[in-house]
Amino acid sequence: MTAMQVTFEKDDHDKRKRVVIVGAGFGGLSAAKQLGNQPGVEVVLIDRRNYHLFQPLLYQVATAALSPADIAVPIRGEMARYANVEVHLGQVEQLDLANRLVGTPDGGIRYDYLVLACGAKHSYFGKPEWEPFAPGLKTLEQATELRFRILSAFERAETTLDPVEREACLTFVVVGGGPTGAELAGALAEIARNVLVRDFRRIDPRDTHIVLVEAGKRVLSMFSEDLSQRALEDLADLGVDVRLQERVVEVDAAGVQVGDRRIAARTVIWAAGVQPSGLNQHLGVELDRAGRAIVQPDLSLQAAPNVFVIGDQAHAEQDGKPLPGLAPVALQQGKAVARNILRELAGKPREPFKYFDKGQMATIGKQRAVAETGKLKLTGLLAWLAWLFIHIMFLVNFRNRLAVTSQWVWSYAFGKRNARLIIPKTWRSYGDHGEI
Amino acid sequence: MTAMQVTFEKDDHDKRKRVVIVGAGFGGLSAAKQLGNQPGVEVVLIDRRNYHLFQPLLYQVATAALSPADIAVPIRGEMARYANVEVHLGQVEQLDLANRLVGTPDGGIRYDYLVLACGAKHSYFGKPEWEPFAPGLKTLEQATELRFRILSAFERAETTLDPVEREACLTFVVVGGGPTGAELAGALAEIARNVLVRDFRRIDPRDTHIVLVEAGKRVLSMFSEDLSQRALEDLADLGVDVRLQERVVEVDAAGVQVGDRRIAARTVIWAAGVQPSGLNQHLGVELDRAGRAIVQPDLSLQAAPNVFVIGDQAHAEQDGKPLPGLAPVALQQGKAVARNILRELAGKPREPFKYFDKGQMATIGKQRAVAETGKLKLTGLLAWLAWLFIHIMFLVNFRNRLAVTSQWVWSYAFGKRNARLIIPKTWRSYGDHGEI
C-alpha cells in the first residue's frame, strides 16, 4: 500500500470518537441513523453513490413498473437531520487498519471505529466475460440497462423481417431461480401478457418465451419445499419455462448454452451467484469460500476489534449456520454495531449480534406471491397483498410512498407501465464522468 | 441519394391511403390521434425514441423535481387503441419526395401523405464546439445529464479543499432568458435555497451564484413588457444574477466569457437559440433564416402538396408574422393537417391553418409565475396556481397525473426533491446501443 495523504484528520480539540461507515446500503444507513445525534460520536458515511437504493425492488425498475427515483433516496437527505453525520461521496480504494485510515481519491480519513458495509455484486463463477451478455441486477444502471434491453428486444422483434431473429428477440433467459430471478421472470411474463399486448401490430407479445434456468432442485430454495413448489406452479401458470437442475455452460451475444442445448436469446439476465465487495481482499483476515469476511459474534474482526463488517460483506454465523445475504440481516446488524459502539463508549461491554428472523416473501407477477414467517405460510392473492402492504409500509421511510403507491395502483388496476422508456446511453460526447 | 430498398410497401388490396408521420412530439402525436381509427387511412408514426416527451417540464427533470418517466409516455401505449396506427421505432435518414418514400435503417416506407414534425434542437450560433461544455435541454438524456452535473457540482464543492474550485462549483451560468432559461434559473435558485440547504456540512448551498445571461433587452421577451419586468424582479428576489444585453463570446471547460468578463463556472446550461431538424436540408424547398421550411397556409409544401411540415420544423405565418415554436402551435397544426387530409379524402377542399392563441405562462421558482391570455395578466401566487392547475390537467393525458401530482405536493409542501440521483453513464462496457 502506498502512503496515504490524510486530508480528513481528526480535530485534536474534538473529544468525540469518529465512526467511519463505508457503504450506505441497508446496513450502513441503519448504523448511521442509530449513531445520528448521539453525543460522543461523529460519523463519516462514505458511498460512491449519492443515493441509498431499495435493492429488493430493482426488478420493478428493470421491468418498467417503477422509476429509478421511486426506489432510491438521496443519502444527504436521509442524514440531513443528524448534525453529527457527514456524508462523503467517493470510492474507498485503500484501507490501512494499522494506522486506522480509510483511503478515498480525496485522501485518507482517520477513524476510531470502522464499519464496512459495502454489499455484494454479481459473481459469474469465474466467467466474468459473460457479464456484457448477461447483466446482473444490483445497481440502478443495471436496472435501466435491462429495461433498455427488454423493451428494445420487443421493438426489434416488431421491426425485423427475419423470423429467426424475431424469435431470439422474443426469448428471454433468466439465470438463477432465487428471489430476484423468480420475481424478474414473473414480471417479464406479466409485461408480455398484460402490458404490451395491444402495443404491437406485427408480433404478439404473448409469443414471448421466458426461460428460467436454475442449477438447484427448486426455485426459491430458501423457502420451505411446499412454497417452492407453489412458486414453480405460479411461474408455470404465467407461461415461464422453468428448467431445474440445469446449468448454463456458455453465454455469448447470441444466447446461452444450457447443458447440451442451445437457446438463441437476445436478452439474458444474470440472477445467480453474488460475491462481496473487493475491499475484503485488503483486510488481511480470513474469508469464507464466497469471499466474505469471517467476523466475531459481535461482528468485529478478531484481528481488529474496532473494525466491524456487516451485511453481504460479512460471514456471521448463528446456530452454526451463516446468516443469509438479506436486507433485514444487514439492517439489524447495522443497528447492533452502532449500539455496541455506544455501549463501549459508555463503559459497558459489547453484546453478541442475534438475528431476529421476521420471515421472507417473494412476489411472482400480479396477485401471486409466497410468504412465510415462523410456521405461518401464505400463497396466492393473500401473500401478494401482504407483500404489497409490507413494501408500501417499508417505503414510508423512503418518502416515496405516495408516488410508488400511485404507480402501483395505476399499474395493477389498468395494466399500464409508465416507466416504459428506452433511453440509450449514447449521449457520450460529453466525456466520462468517472464513477463517483 | 442512394436507391432505397422498400421494405414497407403498400398492399395493393388495401385501398386506404397511407399517412406517414415523422416525429411523435406534440405535432406528430396530435395528427396521429386525429387520424386514429378513421376509415380510409392507415398511419405509420415514426420516431427515434419510444416515448413522447412533455418538453415544457424537462427543466423539472434537470433540477431533480420529477423523474424522466413522469414527463414521458410510451408512444405505443398512446396509440394502442388505434388499430390503424402502426408505430415504427427508427431514425429517418432519407426522404425521396419524387417517389414518395421515407428512408429508415430498416428500409423505405411508401406514403400517400407525409407529415414532418421532427421538432428542433439547440443551436449554438455556429459554435457547435460549445455543446459539450454547455448542454441544452431538449431531450431526456440532456435533462438527466444536467441533473448529474448540477448535483455533482454541489458534491464537488463540499469535497474540494481549493476555495477557487469551490466557487466555480457553486457558480451556474444559464445562457438565454426565454422560458426554459428563466424557469431553469428559478428552479436552480429554489434548490440551492430550500432543498439542499441542510444537506451539506462544509458548504452553504445558499452561497450558490446563478447567472442568467440574455443578449436581448429583457427576459421572457415574448411576454408583454410589464410581465418581463415582473419575472426579472422574481428572479432577482431568488438571488439570480440576471445580465441583460450581454453576450456569451466563449464557452469552455472552465466557464464562460461574457463580454470582456470571465465567469469561472463548472456548470453552464444552454437555453439560447434553436434550429430545426436536419431533415429540412433534404426537402429541396425554401427555408427561412433559422432553417425552418416555409409552408403554405395549409402547412403543405408548395412543391409537394401531399407533404406537410409542422411545429418547430416549419415557418408558418399568421397576420404577417411567423408563428412561435410552442407546444400549442404544434398541437393545433397536427390536428389541422389531419383534418385536411380527411377532408381531401372526403372530396372537400383543404382549409388554411389558423392558430388560436390561448396565452402563455412561465413559472419562476415556487409560488411565482407570470401568465397572460388576451388582455388578462397574472403574476405571483395566482399565476403559479394557474400554471400548476393547467399543467396537471394537461398531464391527465399523460396518465401520470397521480405520480406527478403527488411528487409536486411532496416537493412544494416539504421542500424535498425525490429524484436527486447522481447516475454517471459509466456502465459502458456493454457497448454502444446506437441511437434507436
Side-chain angles (χ1 to χ4, degrees):
Chain A
M1 189 187 294
T2 55
M4 232 183 269
Q5 191 205 353
V6 182
T7 55
F8 211 79
E9 194 49 273
K10 285 197 65 184
D11 183 344
D12 284 341
H13 304 290
D14 193 341
K15 297 286 171 228
R16 297 180 299 173
K17 296 288 180 184
R18 184 185 285 162
V19 183
V20 173
I21 302 171
V22 184
F26 288 108
L29 205 68
S30 87
K33 282 184 176 172
Q34 197 70 26
L35 294 169
N37 292 341
Q38 292 288 340
V41 289
E42 57 160 337
V43 178
V44 181
L45 176 58
I46 310 176
D47 200 291
R48 61 200 182 117
R49 312 282 183 195
N50 81 321
Y51 51 84
H52 166 70
L53 185 64
F54 192 78
Q55 272 188 347
L57 287 177
L58 265 180
Y59 79 96
Q60 295 233 356
V61 173
T63 54
L66 293 177
S67 276
D70 294 332
I71 63 160
V73 280
I75 300 165
R76 290 194 187 282
E78 291 296 288
M79 292 296 127
R81 71 193 128 133
Y82 305 119
N84 67 329
V85 179
E86 188 162 325
V87 177
H88 191 94
L89 192 62
Q91 168 106 40
V92 170
E93 289 166 340
Q94 293 182 315
L95 288 175
D96 180 349
L97 302 192
N99 294 303
R100 302 191 166 189
L101 274 175
V102 166
T104 75
D106 298 305
I109 300 175
R110 188 84 69 190
Y111 64 81
D112 295 303
Y113 289 98
L114 177 62
V115 181
L116 295 173
C118 299
K121 55 183 181 177
H122 280 286
S123 156
Y124 288 82
F125 307 129
K127 300 276 191 182
E129 65 273 22
W130 291 355
E131 193 179 356
F133 311 118
L137 191 56
K138 281 279 172 192
T139 67
L140 273 184
E141 286 88 342
Q142 288 171 324
T144 49
E145 170 70 18
L146 281 176
R147 182 178 72 183
F148 175 83
R149 292 188 184 201
I150 292 165
L151 297 174
S152 299
F154 285 105
E155 292 293 339
R156 189 70 209 147
E158 172 88 348
T159 312
T160 185
L161 301 172
D162 174 358
V164 175
E165 194 189 349
R166 186 177 309 126
E167 203 184 320
C169 285
L170 290 178
T171 302
F172 298 83
V173 178
V174 179
V175 185
T180 301
E183 294 186 318
L184 248 176
L188 275 172
E190 202 69 63
I191 287 192
R193 287 161 58 119
N194 298 322
V195 180
L196 300 179
V197 69
R198 295 204 311 158
D199 276 10
F200 295 92
R201 301 286 175 264
R202 285 148 194 271
I203 57 165
D204 184 342
R206 283 170 297 195
D207 294 339
T208 301
H209 187 198
I210 298 157
V211 186
L212 180 65
V213 185
E214 165 59 42
K217 279 184 187 162
R218 51 191 178 106
V219 296
L220 301 179
S221 61
M222 67 290 289
F223 285 78
S224 57
E225 219 158 311
D226 48 342
L227 287 187
S228 282
Q229 184 56 34
R230 174 59 187 257
L232 187 67
E233 287 160 18
D234 283 346
L235 285 166
D237 277 355
L238 283 167
V240 177
D241 178 3
V242 183
R243 310 278 181 87
L244 296 176
Q245 292 182 279
E246 294 193 19
R247 209 173 271 282
V248 169
V249 293
E250 184 60 17
V251 185
D252 55 37
V256 296
Q257 179 91 14
V258 180
D260 51 9
R261 212 189 129 204
R262 177 90 202 159
I263 303 174
R266 220 177 130 101
T267 315
V268 183
I269 305 169
W270 193 260
V274 295
Q275 64 187 28
S277 146
L279 223 49
N280 274 356
Q281 311 298 330
H282 301 299
L283 286 179
V285 302
E286 195 189 345
L287 308 180
D288 73 2
R289 226 168 50 105
R292 293 177 299 186
I294 292 169
V295 293
Q296 302 295 102
D298 68 354
L299 308 171
S300 68
L301 296 180
Q302 193 168 25
N306 65 329
V307 177
F308 299 89
V309 187
I310 61 176
D312 289 358
Q313 204 182 338
H315 175 107
E317 293 199 354
Q318 187 157 308
D319 308 329
K321 281 188 300 190
L323 288 168
L326 295 172
V329 173
L331 225 140
Q332 293 177 29
Q333 288 180 333
K335 210 177 240 184
V337 160
R339 283 195 181 136
N340 270 339
I341 291 172
L342 295 174
R343 284 180 67 85
E344 193 157 277
L345 295 179
K348 296 180 205 161
R350 295 181 184 182
E351 289 179 336
F353 172 69
K354 178 122 187 51
Y355 173 55
F356 174 62
D357 185 359
K358 292 185 203 158
Q360 51 190 350
M361 53 200 341
T363 175
I364 292 138
K366 181 173 153 184
Q367 299 177 11
R368 291 164 210 257
V370 292
E372 60 187 346
T373 166
K375 287 193 173 159
L376 178 66
K377 292 174 188 174
L378 296 175
T379 59
L381 182 62
L382 201 62
W384 184 75
L385 288 174
W387 176 89
L388 199 63
F389 177 75
I390 286 176
H391 278 81
I392 289 174
M393 285 301 102
F394 203 101
L395 287 167
V396 165
N397 282 321
F398 265 63
R399 319 236 168 108
N400 282 332
R401 66 189 185 285
L402 268 175
V404 172
T405 312
S406 66
Q407 295 281 9
W408 278 348
V409 167
W410 188 257
S411 154
Y412 292 128
F414 304 104
K416 303 281 179 191
R417 300 252 167 163
N418 279 329
R420 233 152 69 228
L421 312 182
I422 299 181
I423 303 181
K425 299 200 176 70
T426 46
W427 222 59
R428 290 174 182 180
S429 51
Y430 295 104
D432 193 338
H433 308 301
E435 194 138 40
I436 60 164
Chain B
M1 190 185 298
T2 55
M4 231 184 272
Q5 190 206 353
V6 182
T7 54
F8 210 80
E9 194 50 272
K10 285 197 64 183
D11 182 347
D12 284 340
H13 305 289
D14 192 342
K15 297 284 170 232
R16 297 180 300 174
K17 295 288 181 185
R18 184 186 285 162
V19 183
V20 172
I21 302 172
V22 184
F26 288 107
L29 205 68
S30 87
K33 282 184 175 173
Q34 197 70 26
L35 294 169
N37 291 341
Q38 292 288 340
V41 287
E42 58 160 338
V43 178
V44 182
L45 177 57
I46 310 176
D47 201 290
R48 61 198 181 118
R49 311 281 183 195
N50 81 322
Y51 50 85
H52 166 70
L53 184 65
F54 192 77
Q55 272 188 349
L57 287 177
L58 265 179
Y59 79 96
Q60 296 232 355
V61 173
T63 53
L66 294 177
S67 275
D70 294 332
I71 63 160
V73 280
I75 299 165
R76 291 194 187 281
E78 291 296 289
M79 292 296 127
R81 71 192 127 135
Y82 306 119
N84 68 330
V85 179
E86 188 162 326
V87 177
H88 191 94
L89 192 63
Q91 168 106 41
V92 169
E93 291 166 340
Q94 294 182 313
L95 287 175
D96 180 350
L97 301 192
N99 294 303
R100 301 191 168 190
L101 274 175
V102 167
T104 76
D106 299 304
I109 300 175
R110 188 86 67 191
Y111 64 82
D112 295 303
Y113 289 98
L114 177 62
V115 181
L116 294 173
C118 300
K121 56 183 181 177
H122 279 286
S123 154
Y124 288 82
F125 307 130
K127 300 276 191 181
E129 65 274 21
W130 291 356
E131 193 179 356
F133 310 118
L137 191 57
K138 282 278 171 192
T139 67
L140 273 185
E141 286 87 341
Q142 287 170 324
T144 50
E145 170 69 18
L146 280 176
R147 183 178 72 183
F148 175 84
R149 292 188 184 201
I150 292 165
L151 297 174
S152 299
F154 284 105
E155 292 293 339
R156 188 70 207 145
E158 172 88 350
T159 313
T160 185
L161 300 172
D162 174 359
V164 175
E165 194 189 349
R166 185 178 308 126
E167 203 184 319
C169 285
L170 290 177
T171 302
F172 298 84
V173 177
V174 179
V175 186
T180 301
E183 293 187 319
L184 248 176
L188 275 172
E190 203 69 62
I191 286 191
R193 288 161 57 120
N194 298 321
V195 179
L196 299 180
V197 69
R198 294 203 312 156
D199 276 10
F200 295 91
R201 300 285 175 265
R202 286 149 194 270
I203 58 165
D204 184 342
R206 283 169 297 194
D207 293 340
T208 301
H209 187 200
I210 298 158
V211 186
L212 180 65
V213 185
E214 164 59 43
K217 280 184 187 160
R218 51 192 178 104
V219 295
L220 302 179
S221 60
M222 67 290 288
F223 285 79
S224 58
E225 217 157 314
D226 48 342
L227 287 188
S228 284
Q229 184 56 34
R230 174 60 188 256
L232 187 67
E233 287 159 18
D234 283 346
L235 285 166
D237 277 355
L238 283 167
V240 176
D241 177 3
V242 184
R243 310 278 181 86
L244 296 175
Q245 293 181 277
E246 294 194 18
R247 208 173 272 282
V248 169
V249 293
E250 184 59 14
V251 185
D252 55 37
V256 297
Q257 179 91 15
V258 180
D260 50 10
R261 211 189 129 204
R262 177 90 201 158
I263 303 175
R266 220 178 130 99
T267 315
V268 183
I269 305 169
W270 193 261
V274 296
Q275 65 188 26
S277 145
L279 224 49
N280 274 357
Q281 311 298 329
H282 300 299
L283 285 178
V285 303
E286 195 188 348
L287 307 181
D288 72 3
R289 227 169 49 106
R292 294 176 299 186
I294 292 168
V295 294
Q296 302 295 101
D298 68 354
L299 307 171
S300 69
L301 295 179
Q302 193 167 23
N306 65 331
V307 177
F308 299 89
V309 187
I310 61 176
D312 289 357
Q313 205 184 336
H315 174 110
E317 291 198 356
Q318 188 157 309
D319 308 328
K321 281 188 299 191
L323 289 168
L326 295 173
V329 173
L331 226 141
Q332 293 178 30
Q333 287 180 333
K335 209 177 241 183
V337 160
R339 284 195 180 135
N340 269 340
I341 292 172
L342 295 174
R343 284 180 68 86
E344 192 158 278
L345 296 179
K348 295 180 204 161
R350 294 182 185 182
E351 289 178 336
F353 171 70
K354 178 120 188 53
Y355 173 55
F356 173 61
D357 184 359
K358 292 185 203 159
Q360 51 191 350
M361 54 201 340
T363 175
I364 292 138
K366 180 175 154 183
Q367 299 177 12
R368 291 163 209 259
V370 292
E372 60 187 345
T373 166
K375 286 193 174 158
L376 178 66
K377 293 174 187 174
L378 296 175
T379 58
L381 182 62
L382 202 62
W384 183 76
L385 288 173
W387 176 89
L388 199 63
F389 177 76
I390 287 176
H391 279 79
I392 289 174
M393 286 301 103
F394 203 101
L395 288 167
V396 166
N397 283 321
F398 266 63
R399 316 232 171 113
N400 282 332
R401 66 192 184 284
L402 268 175
V404 172
T405 311
S406 67
Q407 295 281 9
W408 279 348
V409 167
W410 189 257
S411 154
Y412 291 130
F414 304 104
K416 303 281 176 190
R417 301 250 167 163
N418 280 329
R420 232 152 70 227
L421 313 182
I422 299 181
I423 304 181
K425 299 201 176 71
T426 45
W427 222 58
R428 291 177 180 176
S429 51
Y430 296 104
D432 193 337
H433 309 301
E435 195 139 39
I436 60 163

